[in-house]
Amino acid sequence: MIINNMGGSSSSTGLCLLLSLLIHSSIFFFVASQSTTAAVEGTVFINGSSRIGRTNPNFICATLDWWPPEKCDYGTCSWGRASLLNLDLTNPLLLNAIKAFSPLKIRMGGTLQDKVIYETQQQACPASFIKSSSEMFGFSQGCLPMSRWDELNSFFKKAGAAVVFGLNALNGRTIASDGSAAGAWNSSNAEALIRYTVNKNFAIFGWELGNELSGSGIGTSVAADQYASDITNLHDIVRRTYASFGKRMKKPLVLAPGGFYDANWLTEFINKTPKNSLQVVTHHIYNLGPGVDTHLVDKILDPSYLDGGSSPFSGLQGILKSTGSSAVAWVGEAGGAYNSGHNLVTNAFVFSFWYLDQLGMAASYNTKTYCRQSLIGGNYGLLNTTTFVPNPDYYSALLWHRLMGTKVLSTSFSGTKKIRAYAHCSKKSQGITLLLINLDSNTTANVRVSTENAITFRTARRHHQNRRSKFARMSRGSKANAQVREEYHLTANGNDLHSQTVLLNGKVLAVNNTSGSIPPLEPVQARLSDPITIAPFSIVFAHIANVTVPACK
């Protein structure tokens, strides 16, 4: 039995066996409840000789937007009070949801950022974002009061967030007859905000210029050579302003352009931007099409469609390499389906298939950070817009953040096209962590793991295999841990892909109604000698601590 190598007395062996049997009934029920008549065998191959990518430690990022309650798409108004101007910063669920990441990157921005002015002593705030069909993006100009900026920064400091702020890149430009934005960026209002921020000692992780103005743009566009000049201007402002405070404040990153992948535009932009002026190239992902599309779920469950999502990642890495740029790639905004997503799809369990696959794919192409649209607001929020209760993707993101380390390993799967597989060196522990996604509706996958150049820490005695005690919970200090792995199985409540309730190892994940605390994410333990069982329409994170590969050293 798995306990026999604990090396000591028969009493300790018996105790561990008893503990295994006591928990066996609940774990067996979870496995049995997911069983089906169809099953497939497969192998995930991990090449651990070297890493193929490296992410930031805080790879997970989420956005906060400017949309007012009057923002509606296809007859549905899904934003509520989720705007940077009216979000309830006193809600304990919001605070706890962010603190759980320690830290969570938050990118503040979106379509309306290029219509926002910042309050100064000389310029008071008028009414913001009045709905008007004659205005670009359907709303009038908005304004950020400094009192609200103070509140936001105080909240983010308390929550431990790393903040990226998107600046208005249209200030000072005129719209030409062809619809493009002509002229240079007027940076005076942005510089006033940056100086105010530094004087108040607010910590900003990065300043990003513009939203979806690159390439063909959304609403309007800015030429690549002009954008390069504007970024040089922003970099100089950031350098001068933060230099005046010496080492007291860390200089933030400069990011741009926050638009859709356009190879020609990006190549010109990066080539014409001085090498030290731009630290991050950001791009947006909405590859599922409009939120009104009735085939969103079909696309999400189609492996070939998911594979097509790699193009912007590989293309941008090629441009960065060919231009010799020192900048790195981020996904600055990704909501999957544009125009606020689709209720009970992009905020339901089924969307975790797309979201986690995107995270795995982006990381494998050396993307450093991935910002999900949105933290709250629209139909694609990690949190419910009204109740602030986490949607399934929140827990998917949190598990990734806690388990997947920065080093990305080359991974492939043999057995069925319906399994998506990714692997990283584990985070804050030895070993490797796998992400396995089963897109099949009625087939269970039994997956073996094959690692190249791996060293397995084996115990002296072989274990007698006992299928009836497949899972066992044991203390982390147990020697028996060397022969087990930790597994996190995510499934939809009632096996309904449109459910907004997710189960972890068969138990509903729910916040504490009294304290607003995020529930613990506890694994089950499985024997290394057994395959990883992936139920239909489920997701598994598997942490294998006793295997190390050269890439993870």
Side-chain angles (χ1 to χ4, degrees):
M1 291 174 292
I2 193 168
I3 323 297
N4 283 351
N5 76 322
M6 294 185 72
S9 66
S10 60
S11 62
S12 63
T13 299
L15 176 60
C16 288
L17 177 59
L18 176 61
L19 290 173
S20 175
L21 291 174
L22 286 174
I23 64 145
H24 170 62
S25 58
S26 63
I27 301 303
F28 177 78
F29 175 77
F30 164 65
V31 175
S33 67
Q34 301 298 324
S35 65
T36 62
T37 56
V40 65
E41 307 294 318
T43 303
V44 58
F45 297 94
I46 301 170
N47 185 340
S49 58
S50 62
R51 59 179 172 83
I52 61 170
R54 189 163 197 164
T55 69
N56 291 146
N58 47 340
F59 176 68
I60 298 294
C61 167
T63 68
L64 288 173
D65 215 310
W66 293 97
W67 290 119
E70 295 78 17
K71 160 67 170 172
C72 304
D73 303 278
Y74 319 117
T76 300
C77 307
S78 60
W79 284 88
R81 296 182 63 81
S83 165
L84 285 163
L85 294 177
N86 58 30
L87 181 64
D88 181 8
L89 302 178
T90 66
N91 189 294
L93 268 179
L94 179 65
L95 178 65
N96 291 336
I98 297 173
K99 289 179 71 173
F101 284 83
S102 298
L104 175 66
K105 279 198 187 97
I106 292 182
R107 178 252 187 179
M108 293 186 281
T111 300
L112 293 182
Q113 79 178 54
D114 292 310
K115 302 198 74 169
V116 177
I117 59 172
Y118 319 116
E119 182 186 36
T120 65
Q121 290 182 343
Q122 295 76 33
Q123 189 171 14
C125 268
S128 287
F129 301 134
I130 306 302
K131 193 169 185 177
S132 172
S133 59
S134 64
E135 292 274 358
M136 184 185 296
F137 310 129
F139 289 91
S140 67
Q141 190 177 62
C143 184
L144 174 63
M146 288 302 96
S147 58
R148 182 60 175 179
W149 185 233
D150 294 348
E151 292 170 356
L152 287 165
N153 279 279
S154 176
F155 171 78
F156 291 134
K157 181 179 180 179
K158 186 177 181 180
V163 174
V164 173
F165 186 83
L167 295 164
N168 179 348
L170 289 181
N171 202 16
R173 306 188 205 269
T174 58
I175 305 302
S177 57
D178 63 357
S180 65
W185 174 51
N186 183 338
S187 61
S188 59
N189 191 229
E191 182 170 2
L193 176 66
I194 294 171
R195 289 191 176 279
Y196 178 91
T197 301
V198 171
N199 286 331
K200 297 283 283 191
N201 204 31
F202 294 151
I204 299 295
F205 192 83
W207 296 101
E208 183 179 29
L209 184 62
N211 181 84
E212 296 176 359
L213 301 175
S214 57
S216 299
I218 301 297
T220 187
S221 61
V222 176
D225 58 344
Q226 181 60 60
Y227 222 118
S229 176
D230 298 332
I231 280 296
T232 304
N233 186 9
L234 174 59
H235 172 264
D236 289 343
I237 292 169
V238 171
R239 178 185 54 78
R240 291 195 312 268
T241 307
Y242 283 84
S244 64
F245 279 74
K247 295 182 179 180
R248 283 175 46 198
M249 296 191 72
K250 183 177 179 180
K251 187 176 78 171
L253 303 175
V254 172
L255 306 86
F260 295 103
Y261 177 76
D262 182 310
N264 293 333
W265 192 98
L266 283 169
T267 300
E268 181 182 358
F269 168 66
I270 294 171
N271 271 325
K272 292 185 176 180
T273 301
K275 294 293 188 271
N276 64 341
S277 295
L278 181 67
Q279 287 77 60
V280 179
V281 176
T282 50
H283 65 110
H284 294 180
I285 304 286
Y286 286 91
N287 61 1
L288 295 173
V292 73
D293 189 346
T294 57
H295 299 288
L296 291 176
V297 173
D298 296 333
K299 293 177 180 179
I300 292 168
L301 298 178
D302 182 351
S304 297
Y305 195 92
L306 295 180
D307 287 342
S310 66
S311 296
F313 302 128
S314 60
L316 181 52
Q317 288 302 319
I319 292 171
L320 291 174
K321 185 176 181 179
S322 65
T323 58
S325 174
S326 59
V328 298
W330 284 23
V331 173
E333 180 182 315
Y338 58 82
N339 290 340
S340 305
H342 189 115
N343 189 37
L344 300 183
V345 175
T346 53
N347 54 10
F349 179 81
V350 67
F351 206 53
S352 278
F353 296 145
W354 178 86
Y355 179 40
L356 286 173
D357 191 72
Q358 276 279 303
L359 294 181
M361 187 179 292
S364 68
Y365 283 98
N366 214 35
T367 304
K368 302 304 181 184
T369 292
Y370 192 106
C371 297
R372 167 63 180 267
Q373 173 84 343
S374 63
L375 175 62
I376 186 168
N379 284 318
Y380 35 37
L382 296 179
L383 306 178
N384 182 283
T385 303
T386 304
T387 66
F388 292 73
V389 169
N391 285 321
D393 281 1
Y394 173 85
Y395 295 110
S396 295
L398 188 56
L399 280 170
W400 176 289
H401 177 76
R402 291 180 177 178
L403 298 173
M404 305 291 271
T406 61
K407 297 178 182 177
V408 189
L409 305 176
S410 177
T411 309
S412 61
F413 184 81
S414 174
T416 170
K417 293 182 179 180
K418 290 287 190 174
I419 294 292
R420 315 287 290 181
Y422 299 96
H424 286 219
C425 301
S426 296
K427 192 169 191 177
K428 297 181 180 178
S429 64
Q430 68 179 19
I432 59 176
T433 299
L434 281 71
L435 166 62
L436 300 165
I437 303 169
N438 189 352
L439 301 175
D440 199 292
S441 62
N442 58 15
T443 302
T444 296
N446 297 311
V447 177
R448 300 281 180 180
V449 180
S450 176
T451 55
E452 299 179 28
N453 303 309
I455 301 172
T456 303
F457 300 104
R458 299 184 183 277
T459 54
R461 302 179 183 179
R462 288 185 174 273
H463 300 294
H464 172 69
Q465 296 183 28
N466 182 351
R467 291 280 181 180
R468 286 186 56 79
S469 56
K470 179 176 179 180
F471 293 102
R473 293 186 187 274
M474 302 174 191
S475 66
R476 294 183 182 273
S478 168
K479 293 181 180 179
N481 250 17
Q483 292 301 317
V484 300
R485 63 177 175 263
E486 294 179 327
E487 296 181 357
Y488 303 78
H489 295 252
L490 295 175
T491 53
N493 191 34
N495 295 319
D496 178 7
L497 292 184
H498 299 282
S499 175
Q500 293 179 302
T501 300
V502 62
L503 279 62
L504 174 61
N505 299 324
K507 297 181 179 179
V508 170
L509 288 174
V511 297
N512 186 301
N513 290 330
T514 303
S515 64
S517 59
I518 302 301
L521 305 180
E522 298 292 346
V524 290
Q525 291 189 328
R527 294 181 190 170
L528 281 179
S529 56
D530 289 330
I532 302 171
T533 299
I534 314 170
F537 282 160
S538 75
I539 297 160
V540 178
F541 286 90
H543 173 217
I544 307 175
N546 83 322
V547 173
T548 188
V549 294
C552 297
K553 290 182 179 179

